[in-house]
Amino acid sequence: MTPLPLISISIPVYNEEGNIAALYERLDALGRSMTDECRLEFVFTDNSSTDSTWNMLEALAAGDKRVRAIRFSKNFGFQRSILANYMHTRGDAVLQIDADLQDPPELLKEFLALWRQGYHVVYGVRRARPEGPFIHSFRKMGYWFIDRISEHPIPRNAGDFRLVDRKVIDALESQRSAEPYLRGLIAGMGFRQIGVTYDRSARIAGSSKFGVIQLIRLGLTGVFNHSLVPLRLATVAGIAILSLSAAGAIYYLVLKLLFPDFPRGLASLHILILFGIGFQSLLLGILGEYLLRIYRILRKEPIAIIQDSLNLDSNDIKL
């Protein structure tokens, strides 16, 4: 008899003491409702929480061997946390969810049905989400911009709520990006992918750790990791500025020949100098972002450093 597939549920956490109990209750109920379809394991990565999150995970792991967890030595960021979690799962497929239960874990049943049909990536597409109009518009514009300039299409309104096949996890593990943008990485790998629309729920406890600054940082990571447009823009803009400079030089030369008493433009000279300095600084900054990523790859910076683990053997640690 063929054993039921093992599905790993990957949950990154950071100061989520108010959500852990409700989350585990939902996951445990989900496991009981799907006993005839699959087996489950719950894999947590704690980004060095400062509240009682880790203590709660220790209590859960002591009573349920399905609960496995690793704790980082410091906060390594949300995307690294997800990637490290992926690397410590054992399932035939992995469902990624947030601890705040805004993404319903019960959607695993629909995701699993599509996975059985041969899809390697099944991602959630947010139809509605409880957030303010400013952050909603800002996020939507960011998704649109990253998708437009990316080398490959990136699903819009899709976060990290997804089910991925073990083949995708193995491909991600081989890349070991020091500054990952997983939506772009997974989208650019190919495989068979499909989206499922759903309505995102409100956070049941605590506050979001992802504000505008974090969104901007994540967006810049997506741009510089998955687009050559900024580099090409630097080249095109440089050529354009040189052309304008040449045209301006010819223009002022003609004026000087036609009007010998034409006054010298001190203000325009200063403006041009300041513009040139600022523009060169911008281009150097763009080049620096790409060089930084090359440097981190060459330095072989670890994705994260594990301080403690629960229900994992030393041979299971992959960082």
Side-chain angles (χ1 to χ4, degrees):
M1 181 178 178
T2 304
L4 293 174
L6 175 63
I7 306 299
S8 301
I9 299 185
S10 163
I11 314 109
V13 293
Y14 178 67
N15 291 346
E16 296 287 357
E17 62 182 5
N19 293 311
I20 294 295
L23 171 65
Y24 177 75
E25 184 179 345
R26 291 268 292 272
L27 294 178
D28 186 48
L30 178 65
R32 291 195 303 269
S33 68
M34 300 186 69
T35 52
D36 296 333
E37 300 179 57
C38 63
R39 297 169 293 132
L40 296 182
E41 69 169 3
F42 314 130
V43 185
F44 293 83
T45 46
D46 181 8
N47 236 327
S48 193
S49 295
T50 56
D51 61 4
S52 60
T53 295
W54 183 252
N55 295 332
M56 297 177 73
L57 291 178
E58 286 181 322
L60 291 175
D64 188 346
K65 295 302 180 184
R66 295 176 302 175
V67 176
R68 309 169 78 232
I70 52 178
R71 176 177 170 85
F72 298 152
S73 60
K74 67 175 185 176
N75 190 334
F76 282 89
F78 184 62
Q79 292 291 298
R80 289 194 185 192
S81 180
I82 297 175
L83 183 56
N85 216 340
Y86 279 164
M87 293 168 58
H88 289 86
T89 58
R90 301 174 295 182
D92 302 293
V94 179
L95 175 70
Q96 163 67 35
I97 64 170
D98 292 341
D100 55 18
L101 289 173
Q102 288 187 280
D103 302 320
E106 293 79 11
L107 209 57
L108 171 62
K109 297 180 180 180
E110 188 173 345
F111 283 14
L112 191 63
L114 291 168
W115 176 68
R116 292 183 188 276
Q117 293 177 24
Y119 288 99
H120 300 97
V121 180
V122 184
Y123 55 87
V125 180
R126 298 156 179 168
R127 182 168 42 213
R129 54 189 305 159
E131 61 185 5
F134 171 75
I135 195 72
H136 176 75
S137 300
F138 185 80
R139 193 190 302 270
K140 188 174 183 179
M141 182 177 65
Y143 282 145
W144 175 85
F145 180 73
I146 293 173
D147 179 44
R148 292 291 294 177
I149 70 172
S150 177
E151 296 177 70
H152 42 261
I154 297 178
R156 300 183 191 179
N157 298 319
D160 293 301
F161 180 42
R162 66 175 80 86
L163 178 77
V164 292
D165 187 83
R166 174 52 56 183
K167 293 178 181 178
V168 180
I169 300 296
D170 292 340
L172 281 173
E173 187 174 346
S174 66
Q175 295 200 18
R176 292 252 179 160
S177 174
E179 197 72 28
Y181 181 71
L182 292 173
R183 301 171 202 175
L185 274 175
I186 294 174
M189 285 181 176
F191 294 105
R192 294 189 64 195
Q193 307 194 18
I194 189 172
V196 174
T197 57
Y198 73 103
D199 294 322
R200 208 166 195 231
S201 305
R203 173 182 268 267
I204 62 173
S207 59
S208 174
K209 317 300 187 301
F210 232 70
V212 174
I213 300 299
Q214 288 75 19
L215 282 175
I216 292 175
R217 288 176 179 172
L218 182 62
L220 290 175
T221 299
V223 168
F224 291 121
N225 280 21
H226 300 280
S227 177
L228 296 177
V229 170
L231 283 176
R232 290 170 180 164
L233 177 63
T235 302
V236 172
I239 294 174
I241 293 297
L242 286 175
S243 301
L244 286 174
S245 300
I250 294 172
Y251 173 73
Y252 282 110
L253 178 62
V254 171
L255 287 179
K256 187 66 176 177
L257 292 175
L258 294 177
F259 306 99
D261 297 330
F262 187 78
R264 297 179 179 180
L266 184 63
S268 61
L269 181 63
H270 285 178
I271 291 172
L272 287 173
I273 291 175
L274 291 175
F275 176 77
I277 293 173
F279 189 73
Q280 288 182 17
S281 299
L282 173 63
L283 300 187
L284 288 174
I286 291 174
L287 293 173
E289 288 290 339
Y290 285 96
L291 288 174
L292 173 63
R293 281 154 176 78
I294 295 172
Y295 167 70
R296 284 180 170 173
I297 292 174
L298 294 177
R299 193 172 62 176
K300 295 183 179 180
E301 181 178 326
I303 297 170
I305 299 173
I306 295 178
Q307 176 178 308
D308 298 302
S309 64
L310 301 172
N311 289 337
L312 277 83
D313 297 329
S314 59
N315 296 329
D316 296 330
I317 303 298
K318 297 184 179 181
L319 298 179

CSV table of all heavy atoms in Angstrom, one decimal, residues 9-65:
chain,number,residue,atom,x,y,z
A,9,ILE,N,3.9,21.9,6.7
A,9,ILE,CA,3.4,23.3,6.8
A,9,ILE,C,4.5,24.2,7.4
A,9,ILE,O,4.9,24.0,8.6
A,9,ILE,CB,2.1,23.3,7.6
A,9,ILE,CG1,1.1,22.4,7.0
A,9,ILE,CG2,1.6,24.8,7.8
A,9,ILE,CD1,-0.3,22.5,7.6
A,10,SER,N,5.0,25.1,6.7
A,10,SER,CA,6.1,26.0,7.1
A,10,SER,C,5.5,27.3,7.6
A,10,SER,O,4.8,28.0,6.9
A,10,SER,CB,7.0,26.2,5.8
A,10,SER,OG,7.8,27.3,6.0
A,11,ILE,N,6.0,27.6,8.8
A,11,ILE,CA,5.4,28.8,9.5
A,11,ILE,C,6.6,29.6,10.1
A,11,ILE,O,7.2,29.2,11.1
A,11,ILE,CB,4.4,28.5,10.6
A,11,ILE,CG1,3.4,27.5,10.2
A,11,ILE,CG2,3.7,29.8,11.1
A,11,ILE,CD1,3.6,26.1,10.8
A,12,PRO,N,7.0,30.8,9.5
A,12,PRO,CA,8.0,31.6,10.2
A,12,PRO,C,7.3,32.5,11.2
A,12,PRO,O,6.2,32.9,11.0
A,12,PRO,CB,8.5,32.5,9.0
A,12,PRO,CG,7.3,32.5,8.1
A,12,PRO,CD,6.6,31.2,8.2
A,13,VAL,N,7.9,32.6,12.4
A,13,VAL,CA,7.3,33.4,13.5
A,13,VAL,C,8.3,34.4,14.0
A,13,VAL,O,9.5,34.2,14.1
A,13,VAL,CB,6.8,32.5,14.6
A,13,VAL,CG1,5.7,31.6,14.1
A,13,VAL,CG2,8.0,31.6,15.1
A,14,TYR,N,7.8,35.5,14.5
A,14,TYR,CA,8.5,36.5,15.2
A,14,TYR,C,7.6,37.3,16.2
A,14,TYR,O,6.7,38.0,15.7
A,14,TYR,CB,9.2,37.5,14.3
A,14,TYR,CG,10.0,38.6,15.0
A,14,TYR,CD1,11.1,38.3,15.7
A,14,TYR,CD2,9.6,39.9,14.9
A,14,TYR,CE1,11.8,39.3,16.4
A,14,TYR,CE2,10.3,40.9,15.6
A,14,TYR,CZ,11.4,40.6,16.3
A,14,TYR,OH,12.1,41.6,17.0
A,15,ASN,N,7.8,37.0,17.5
A,15,ASN,CA,6.9,37.7,18.5
A,15,ASN,C,5.4,37.4,18.2
A,15,ASN,O,4.6,38.3,18.1
A,15,ASN,CB,7.2,39.2,18.6
A,15,ASN,CG,8.6,39.5,19.2
A,15,ASN,OD1,9.2,38.6,19.7
A,15,ASN,ND2,9.0,40.7,19.0
A,16,GLU,N,5.1,36.1,18.1
A,16,GLU,CA,3.7,35.8,17.8
A,16,GLU,C,3.0,35.0,18.9
A,16,GLU,O,2.2,34.1,18.7
A,16,GLU,CB,3.7,34.9,16.5
A,16,GLU,CG,4.1,35.6,15.2
A,16,GLU,CD,3.1,36.6,14.7
A,16,GLU,OE1,2.0,36.7,15.3
A,16,GLU,OE2,3.4,37.3,13.7
A,17,GLU,N,3.3,35.4,20.2
A,17,GLU,CA,2.8,34.6,21.3
A,17,GLU,C,1.3,34.7,21.3
A,17,GLU,O,0.6,33.8,21.8
A,17,GLU,CB,3.4,35.2,22.6
A,17,GLU,CG,3.0,36.6,22.9
A,17,GLU,CD,3.6,37.2,24.1
A,17,GLU,OE1,4.4,36.4,24.8
A,17,GLU,OE2,3.4,38.3,24.5
A,18,GLY,N,0.7,35.7,20.8
A,18,GLY,CA,-0.8,35.9,20.8
A,18,GLY,C,-1.5,35.0,19.8
A,18,GLY,O,-2.7,34.9,19.8
A,19,ASN,N,-0.7,34.4,18.8
A,19,ASN,CA,-1.3,33.7,17.7
A,19,ASN,C,-1.0,32.2,17.8
A,19,ASN,O,-1.6,31.4,17.1
A,19,ASN,CB,-0.8,34.2,16.4
A,19,ASN,CG,-1.3,35.6,16.1
A,19,ASN,OD1,-2.5,35.9,16.2
A,19,ASN,ND2,-0.4,36.5,15.7
A,20,ILE,N,0.0,31.8,18.5
A,20,ILE,CA,0.5,30.4,18.5
A,20,ILE,C,-0.6,29.4,18.9
A,20,ILE,O,-0.8,28.4,18.2
A,20,ILE,CB,1.8,30.2,19.4
A,20,ILE,CG1,2.9,31.0,18.8
A,20,ILE,CG2,2.1,28.8,19.5
A,20,ILE,CD1,3.4,30.6,17.5
A,21,ALA,N,-1.3,29.7,19.9
A,21,ALA,CA,-2.3,28.7,20.4
A,21,ALA,C,-3.4,28.5,19.4
A,21,ALA,O,-3.8,27.4,19.0
A,21,ALA,CB,-2.9,29.1,21.7
A,22,ALA,N,-3.9,29.6,18.9
A,22,ALA,CA,-5.0,29.5,17.9
A,22,ALA,C,-4.5,28.9,16.6
A,22,ALA,O,-5.2,28.1,15.9
A,22,ALA,CB,-5.6,30.9,17.6
A,23,LEU,N,-3.3,29.2,16.2
A,23,LEU,CA,-2.7,28.6,15.0
A,23,LEU,C,-2.6,27.1,15.1
A,23,LEU,O,-3.0,26.3,14.2
A,23,LEU,CB,-1.3,29.2,14.7
A,23,LEU,CG,-0.4,28.6,13.7
A,23,LEU,CD1,-1.1,28.7,12.3
A,23,LEU,CD2,1.0,29.2,13.7
A,24,TYR,N,-2.0,26.6,16.3
A,24,TYR,CA,-1.9,25.2,16.4
A,24,TYR,C,-3.2,24.5,16.5
A,24,TYR,O,-3.4,23.4,15.9
A,24,TYR,CB,-1.1,24.9,17.7
A,24,TYR,CG,-1.0,23.4,18.0
A,24,TYR,CD1,-0.1,22.6,17.3
A,24,TYR,CD2,-1.8,22.8,19.0
A,24,TYR,CE1,0.0,21.3,17.5
A,24,TYR,CE2,-1.7,21.4,19.2
A,24,TYR,CZ,-0.8,20.7,18.5
A,24,TYR,OH,-0.7,19.3,18.7
A,25,GLU,N,-4.2,25.1,17.1
A,25,GLU,CA,-5.5,24.5,17.1
A,25,GLU,C,-6.1,24.3,15.7
A,25,GLU,O,-6.7,23.3,15.4
A,25,GLU,CB,-6.5,25.4,18.0
A,25,GLU,CG,-7.9,24.8,18.1
A,25,GLU,CD,-8.7,25.7,19.0
A,25,GLU,OE1,-8.2,26.6,19.7
A,25,GLU,OE2,-10.0,25.5,19.0
A,26,ARG,N,-5.9,25.3,14.9
A,26,ARG,CA,-6.4,25.2,13.5
A,26,ARG,C,-5.6,24.2,12.7
A,26,ARG,O,-6.2,23.4,11.9
A,26,ARG,CB,-6.2,26.6,12.8
A,26,ARG,CG,-7.2,27.7,13.3
A,26,ARG,CD,-8.4,27.8,12.5
A,26,ARG,NE,-8.3,28.2,11.1
A,26,ARG,CZ,-8.3,29.5,10.7
A,26,ARG,NH1,-8.4,30.5,11.6
A,26,ARG,NH2,-8.2,29.8,9.5
A,27,LEU,N,-4.3,24.1,12.9
A,27,LEU,CA,-3.5,23.1,12.2
A,27,LEU,C,-3.8,21.7,12.7
A,27,LEU,O,-3.8,20.8,11.8
A,27,LEU,CB,-2.0,23.4,12.4
A,27,LEU,CG,-1.4,24.7,11.8
A,27,LEU,CD1,0.0,24.9,12.2
A,27,LEU,CD2,-1.6,24.8,10.3
A,28,ASP,N,-4.0,21.5,14.0
A,28,ASP,CA,-4.3,20.2,14.5
A,28,ASP,C,-5.7,19.7,13.9
A,28,ASP,O,-5.8,18.6,13.6
A,28,ASP,CB,-4.3,20.3,16.0
A,28,ASP,CG,-4.5,18.9,16.6
A,28,ASP,OD1,-3.9,17.9,16.2
A,28,ASP,OD2,-5.4,18.8,17.5
A,29,ALA,N,-6.6,20.7,13.9
A,29,ALA,CA,-8.0,20.3,13.3
A,29,ALA,C,-7.9,20.0,11.9
A,29,ALA,O,-8.5,19.1,11.4
A,29,ALA,CB,-8.9,21.5,13.6
A,30,LEU,N,-7.0,20.7,11.2
A,30,LEU,CA,-6.8,20.4,9.7
A,30,LEU,C,-6.2,19.0,9.5
A,30,LEU,O,-6.6,18.3,8.6
A,30,LEU,CB,-5.9,21.5,9.1
A,30,LEU,CG,-5.5,21.3,7.7
A,30,LEU,CD1,-6.7,21.5,6.8
A,30,LEU,CD2,-4.4,22.4,7.2
A,31,GLY,N,-5.2,18.7,10.4
A,31,GLY,CA,-4.6,17.4,10.3
A,31,GLY,C,-5.6,16.2,10.5
A,31,GLY,O,-5.6,15.2,9.9
A,32,ARG,N,-6.5,16.4,11.5
A,32,ARG,CA,-7.5,15.4,11.8
A,32,ARG,C,-8.5,15.3,10.6
A,32,ARG,O,-9.0,14.2,10.3
A,32,ARG,CB,-8.3,15.8,13.1
A,32,ARG,CG,-7.5,15.6,14.3
A,32,ARG,CD,-8.3,15.6,15.6
A,32,ARG,NE,-9.2,16.8,15.7
A,32,ARG,CZ,-8.8,17.9,16.3
A,32,ARG,NH1,-7.6,18.0,16.8
A,32,ARG,NH2,-9.6,19.0,16.3
A,33,SER,N,-8.8,16.4,10.0
A,33,SER,CA,-9.8,16.4,8.9
A,33,SER,C,-9.2,15.8,7.6
A,33,SER,O,-10.0,15.4,6.7
A,33,SER,CB,-10.3,17.8,8.6
A,33,SER,OG,-9.3,18.6,8.0
A,34,MET,N,-7.9,15.7,7.5
A,34,MET,CA,-7.2,15.2,6.3
A,34,MET,C,-6.5,13.9,6.5
A,34,MET,O,-5.5,13.6,5.8
A,34,MET,CB,-6.3,16.3,5.7
A,34,MET,CG,-7.0,17.6,5.4
A,34,MET,SD,-5.9,18.8,4.6
A,34,MET,CE,-5.6,18.0,3.0
A,35,THR,N,-6.9,13.1,7.5
A,35,THR,CA,-6.1,11.9,7.8
A,35,THR,C,-6.2,10.9,6.7
A,35,THR,O,-5.3,10.0,6.6
A,35,THR,CB,-6.7,11.2,9.1
A,35,THR,OG1,-8.1,11.1,9.0
A,35,THR,CG2,-6.4,12.1,10.3
A,36,ASP,N,-7.2,10.9,5.9
A,36,ASP,CA,-7.3,10.0,4.7
A,36,ASP,C,-6.6,10.5,3.5
A,36,ASP,O,-6.5,9.8,2.5
A,36,ASP,CB,-8.8,9.7,4.4
A,36,ASP,CG,-9.5,9.0,5.6
A,36,ASP,OD1,-8.8,8.3,6.3
A,36,ASP,OD2,-10.7,9.2,5.7
A,37,GLU,N,-6.1,11.8,3.5
A,37,GLU,CA,-5.5,12.4,2.3
A,37,GLU,C,-4.0,12.5,2.4
A,37,GLU,O,-3.3,12.4,1.4
A,37,GLU,CB,-6.2,13.7,2.0
A,37,GLU,CG,-7.7,13.7,1.8
A,37,GLU,CD,-8.3,15.0,1.5
A,37,GLU,OE1,-7.8,15.7,0.6
A,37,GLU,OE2,-9.2,15.5,2.3
A,38,CYS,N,-3.5,12.9,3.6
A,38,CYS,CA,-2.1,13.1,3.8
A,38,CYS,C,-1.7,13.1,5.2
A,38,CYS,O,-2.6,13.1,6.1
A,38,CYS,CB,-1.8,14.5,3.2
A,38,CYS,SG,-2.6,15.9,4.0
A,39,ARG,N,-0.4,13.1,5.4
A,39,ARG,CA,0.2,13.3,6.8
A,39,ARG,C,0.7,14.7,6.9
A,39,ARG,O,1.2,15.3,5.8
A,39,ARG,CB,1.3,12.3,7.0
A,39,ARG,CG,0.8,10.8,7.0
A,39,ARG,CD,1.9,9.8,7.0
A,39,ARG,NE,2.7,9.9,5.8
A,39,ARG,CZ,4.0,10.0,5.7
A,39,ARG,NH1,4.8,10.0,6.8
A,39,ARG,NH2,4.6,10.0,4.5
A,40,LEU,N,0.8,15.3,8.1
A,40,LEU,CA,1.2,16.6,8.2
A,40,LEU,C,2.4,16.7,9.2
A,40,LEU,O,2.5,15.9,10.1
A,40,LEU,CB,0.1,17.6,8.7
A,40,LEU,CG,-1.1,17.8,7.8
A,40,LEU,CD1,-2.1,18.7,8.5
A,40,LEU,CD2,-0.7,18.3,6.4
A,41,GLU,N,3.3,17.7,9.0
A,41,GLU,CA,4.2,18.1,10.0
A,41,GLU,C,4.2,19.6,10.0
A,41,GLU,O,3.9,20.3,9.0
A,41,GLU,CB,5.6,17.6,9.7
A,41,GLU,CG,6.3,18.2,8.5
A,41,GLU,CD,7.8,17.9,8.4
A,41,GLU,OE1,8.3,17.1,9.2
A,41,GLU,OE2,8.4,18.4,7.4
A,42,PHE,N,4.5,20.2,11.2
A,42,PHE,CA,4.4,21.7,11.3
A,42,PHE,C,5.8,22.2,11.7
A,42,PHE,O,6.4,21.8,12.7
A,42,PHE,CB,3.5,22.0,12.5
A,42,PHE,CG,2.1,21.3,12.4
A,42,PHE,CD1,1.6,20.7,13.5
A,42,PHE,CD2,1.4,21.2,11.2
A,42,PHE,CE1,0.4,20.0,13.5
A,42,PHE,CE2,0.2,20.5,11.1
A,42,PHE,CZ,-0.3,19.9,12.3
A,43,VAL,N,6.4,22.9,10.7
A,43,VAL,CA,7.8,23.3,10.9
A,43,VAL,C,7.9,24.9,11.1
A,43,VAL,O,7.4,25.6,10.2
A,43,VAL,CB,8.6,23.0,9.6
A,43,VAL,CG1,10.1,23.3,9.9
A,43,VAL,CG2,8.5,21.5,9.3
A,44,PHE,N,8.4,25.3,12.2
A,44,PHE,CA,8.5,26.7,12.6
A,44,PHE,C,9.9,27.2,12.5
A,44,PHE,O,10.8,26.4,12.9
A,44,PHE,CB,8.0,26.9,14.1
A,44,PHE,CG,6.5,26.6,14.3
A,44,PHE,CD1,6.0,25.3,14.5
A,44,PHE,CD2,5.6,27.6,14.2
A,44,PHE,CE1,4.7,25.1,14.7
A,44,PHE,CE2,4.2,27.4,14.4
A,44,PHE,CZ,3.8,26.1,14.7
A,45,THR,N,10.1,28.4,12.1
A,45,THR,CA,11.4,29.1,12.3
A,45,THR,C,11.1,30.3,13.1
A,45,THR,O,10.3,31.2,12.7
A,45,THR,CB,12.0,29.5,10.9
A,45,THR,OG1,11.0,30.1,10.1
A,45,THR,CG2,12.6,28.3,10.2
A,46,ASP,N,11.8,30.4,14.2
A,46,ASP,CA,11.6,31.6,15.1
A,46,ASP,C,12.8,32.5,14.9
A,46,ASP,O,13.9,32.2,15.1
A,46,ASP,CB,11.6,31.1,16.6
A,46,ASP,CG,11.4,32.2,17.6
A,46,ASP,OD1,11.2,33.4,17.1
A,46,ASP,OD2,11.6,32.0,18.8
A,47,ASN,N,12.4,33.7,14.4
A,47,ASN,CA,13.4,34.8,14.1
A,47,ASN,C,13.9,35.5,15.3
A,47,ASN,O,13.9,36.7,15.4
A,47,ASN,CB,12.9,35.7,13.1
A,47,ASN,CG,13.7,35.8,11.8
A,47,ASN,OD1,14.9,35.7,11.9
A,47,ASN,ND2,13.0,36.1,10.7
A,48,SER,N,14.3,34.7,16.4
A,48,SER,CA,14.8,35.3,17.6
A,48,SER,C,13.8,36.2,18.3
A,48,SER,O,14.1,37.3,18.6
A,48,SER,CB,16.1,36.0,17.4
A,48,SER,OG,16.8,36.3,18.6
A,49,SER,N,12.6,35.6,18.5
A,49,SER,CA,11.6,36.4,19.2
A,49,SER,C,12.0,36.8,20.6
A,49,SER,O,12.7,36.1,21.3
A,49,SER,CB,10.3,35.5,19.3
A,49,SER,OG,9.8,35.2,18.0
A,50,THR,N,11.5,37.9,21.0
A,50,THR,CA,11.8,38.5,22.3
A,50,THR,C,10.7,38.2,23.3
A,50,THR,O,10.8,38.6,24.5
A,50,THR,CB,12.1,40.0,22.2
A,50,THR,OG1,11.0,40.6,21.6
A,50,THR,CG2,13.3,40.2,21.4
A,51,ASP,N,9.6,37.6,22.9
A,51,ASP,CA,8.5,37.3,23.8
A,51,ASP,C,8.5,35.8,24.1
A,51,ASP,O,9.5,35.2,24.0
A,51,ASP,CB,7.1,37.8,23.2
A,51,ASP,CG,6.8,37.0,21.9
A,51,ASP,OD1,7.6,36.2,21.5
A,51,ASP,OD2,5.8,37.4,21.3
A,52,SER,N,7.4,35.2,24.5
A,52,SER,CA,7.3,33.8,24.9
A,52,SER,C,7.0,32.9,23.7
A,52,SER,O,6.7,31.7,24.0
A,52,SER,CB,6.3,33.6,26.0
A,52,SER,OG,5.0,34.0,25.5
A,53,THR,N,7.2,33.3,22.5
A,53,THR,CA,6.9,32.5,21.3
A,53,THR,C,7.7,31.1,21.4
A,53,THR,O,7.1,30.1,21.2
A,53,THR,CB,7.3,33.2,20.0
A,53,THR,OG1,6.4,34.3,19.9
A,53,THR,CG2,7.1,32.3,18.8
A,54,TRP,N,9.0,31.2,21.7
A,54,TRP,CA,9.8,30.0,21.7
A,54,TRP,C,9.4,29.0,22.8
A,54,TRP,O,9.4,27.8,22.6
A,54,TRP,CB,11.3,30.3,21.8
A,54,TRP,CG,12.2,29.1,21.7
A,54,TRP,CD1,12.9,28.5,22.7
A,54,TRP,CD2,12.4,28.3,20.5
A,54,TRP,NE1,13.6,27.4,22.3
A,54,TRP,CE2,13.3,27.3,20.9
A,54,TRP,CE3,12.0,28.3,19.2
A,54,TRP,CZ2,13.8,26.3,20.0
A,54,TRP,CZ3,12.5,27.4,18.3
A,54,TRP,CH2,13.3,26.4,18.7
A,55,ASN,N,9.1,29.6,24.0
A,55,ASN,CA,8.6,28.7,25.1
A,55,ASN,C,7.3,28.0,24.7
A,55,ASN,O,7.2,26.8,25.1
A,55,ASN,CB,8.4,29.6,26.3
A,55,ASN,CG,9.7,30.2,26.8
A,55,ASN,OD1,10.8,29.6,26.6
A,55,ASN,ND2,9.6,31.3,27.5
A,56,MET,N,6.5,28.7,24.0
A,56,MET,CA,5.2,28.0,23.6
A,56,MET,C,5.5,26.9,22.6
A,56,MET,O,4.8,25.9,22.6
A,56,MET,CB,4.3,29.1,23.0
A,56,MET,CG,3.8,30.2,24.0
A,56,MET,SD,2.8,31.4,23.3
A,56,MET,CE,1.2,30.5,23.1
A,57,LEU,N,6.4,27.2,21.7
A,57,LEU,CA,6.8,26.1,20.7
A,57,LEU,C,7.4,24.9,21.4
A,57,LEU,O,7.2,23.8,21.0
A,57,LEU,CB,7.8,26.7,19.7
A,57,LEU,CG,7.2,27.8,18.7
A,57,LEU,CD1,8.3,28.3,17.7
A,57,LEU,CD2,6.0,27.2,17.9
A,58,GLU,N,8.2,25.2,22.4
A,58,GLU,CA,8.8,24.1,23.2
A,58,GLU,C,7.7,23.2,23.8
A,58,GLU,O,7.8,22.0,23.8
A,58,GLU,CB,9.7,24.6,24.3
A,58,GLU,CG,11.0,25.2,23.8
A,58,GLU,CD,11.9,25.7,24.9
A,58,GLU,OE1,11.4,26.3,25.8
A,58,GLU,OE2,13.2,25.5,24.8
A,59,ALA,N,6.7,23.8,24.4
A,59,ALA,CA,5.6,23.1,25.0
A,59,ALA,C,4.8,22.3,23.9
A,59,ALA,O,4.5,21.1,24.2
A,59,ALA,CB,4.6,24.1,25.7
A,60,LEU,N,4.6,22.9,22.8
A,60,LEU,CA,3.9,22.1,21.7
A,60,LEU,C,4.7,21.0,21.2
A,60,LEU,O,4.2,19.9,21.0
A,60,LEU,CB,3.6,23.1,20.5
A,60,LEU,CG,2.5,24.2,20.8
A,60,LEU,CD1,2.4,25.1,19.6
A,60,LEU,CD2,1.2,23.5,21.1
A,61,ALA,N,6.0,21.2,21.0
A,61,ALA,CA,6.9,20.1,20.5
A,61,ALA,C,7.0,19.0,21.4
A,61,ALA,O,7.2,17.8,21.0
A,61,ALA,CB,8.3,20.7,20.1
A,62,ALA,N,7.0,19.3,22.7
A,62,ALA,CA,7.1,18.2,23.7
A,62,ALA,C,5.9,17.3,23.7
A,62,ALA,O,6.0,16.1,24.0
A,62,ALA,CB,7.2,18.8,25.1
A,63,GLY,N,4.7,17.8,23.3
A,63,GLY,CA,3.5,17.0,23.3
A,63,GLY,C,3.1,16.5,21.9
A,63,GLY,O,2.2,15.7,21.8
A,64,ASP,N,3.8,17.0,20.8
A,64,ASP,CA,3.4,16.6,19.5
A,64,ASP,C,4.7,16.6,18.6
A,64,ASP,O,5.3,17.6,18.3
A,64,ASP,CB,2.4,17.7,18.9
A,64,ASP,CG,1.8,17.2,17.6
A,64,ASP,OD1,2.3,16.3,17.0
A,64,ASP,OD2,0.8,17.9,17.2
A,65,LYS,N,5.0,15.4,18.2
A,65,LYS,CA,6.2,15.2,17.4
A,65,LYS,C,6.1,15.7,16.0
A,65,LYS,O,7.1,15.9,15.3
A,65,LYS,CB,6.6,13.7,17.4
A,65,LYS,CG,7.0,13.1,18.7
A,65,LYS,CD,8.1,13.8,19.3
A,65,LYS,CE,8.5,13.2,20.7
A,65,LYS,NZ,9.6,14.0,21.4
